[in-house]
Amino acid sequence: GAGVSQSPRYKVAKRGQDVALRCDPISGHVSLFWYQQALGQGPEFLTYFQNEAQLDKSGLPSDRFFAERPEGSVSTLKIQRTQQEDSAVYLCASSLASTGRTTDTQYFGPGTRLTVL
Amino acid sequence: SQKIEQNSEALNIQEGKTATLTCNYTNYSPAYLQWYRQDPGRGPVFLLLIRENEKEKRKERLKVTFDTTLKQSLFHITASQPADSATYLCALDTSGGSYIPTFGRGTSLIVHP
């Protein structure tokens, strides 16, 4: 594909609902990242995959957040029992890099704006 | 505490002038620093990376400097155009060359025709 795509672009959830956010990385990209961006802030790291392996989930704010990438391509970020503080833009990025210590360019998707009422 | 600081106030300049954005950090020793552009409703787009042993890097109308003594990076856009209006984010590694950059909050640049 031309770039990283994310769906849905906008999601409104009632507090307590579960949501699933999808990321389609650039074909062939090994690394995949999820970030959370609050209004007026920079992106904050949530979790990182290398192929299907979740190598770092240190940024996930609570056990309500879960991410997977079962076949090493598409990834899903799931948030259970959403809270108002979960309202943010969730960004996905992918890179060609296959090693953990590299500065390979990350390509970001447009994000999913989640609003929890 | 560890911080990455970018001016939260928007920078307004006239077309054709040079825009200079600042990124200051404390209590980090980053191996690299990156600059990204972010437009409303879009994800960040990578612009430039500069390593700790590099003082300056250029790409077309962009120039980045990195002063590890002052713990500061300056990002310059020469001959600015209204199309350069966006939010510019700096990001740096916070743990020994990690692939995961830590982002500042960004500075909004508005170039007036």
Side-chain angles (χ1 to χ4, degrees), chain B residues 43-87:
Chain B
V45 174
F46 171 79
L47 297 174
L48 280 169
L49 178 148
I50 186 165
R51 299 183 188 277
E52 60 179 334
N53 60 349
E54 299 175 315
K55 296 294 183 186
E56 180 180 299
K57 186 165 270 190
R58 293 174 185 259
K59 178 182 176 183
E60 298 173 350
R61 294 184 296 112
L62 309 180
K63 184 178 85 171
V64 172
T65 63
F66 192 10
D67 188 325
T68 55
T69 301
L70 290 179
K71 295 188 180 294
Q72 181 182 79
S73 175
L74 299 178
F75 176 79
H76 306 272
I77 306 175
T78 58
S80 60
Q81 305 164 0
D84 295 327
S85 300
T87 295

Side-chain angles (χ1 to χ4, degrees), chain A residues 73-115:
Chain A
S73 55
V74 171
S75 177
T76 304
L77 176 67
K78 297 179 180 179
I79 309 173
Q80 298 176 324
R81 305 181 302 281
T82 52
Q83 303 295 314
Q84 284 188 321
E85 61 262 29
D86 299 334
S87 296
V89 173
Y90 290 85
L91 295 164
C92 174
S94 70
S95 73
L96 193 56
S98 60
T99 59
R101 291 189 173 273
T102 180
T103 52
D104 204 40
T105 300
Q106 292 190 24
Y107 296 86
F108 283 81
T112 295
R113 181 176 296 278
L114 172 65
T115 302

Side-chain angles (χ1 to χ4, degrees), chain A residues 54 60 62-68 76-80:
Chain A
Q54 188 175 22
L60 295 177
S62 77
D63 59 6
R64 296 186 295 105
F65 287 71
F66 171 77
E68 60 183 5
T76 304
L77 176 67
K78 297 179 180 179
I79 309 173
Q80 298 176 324

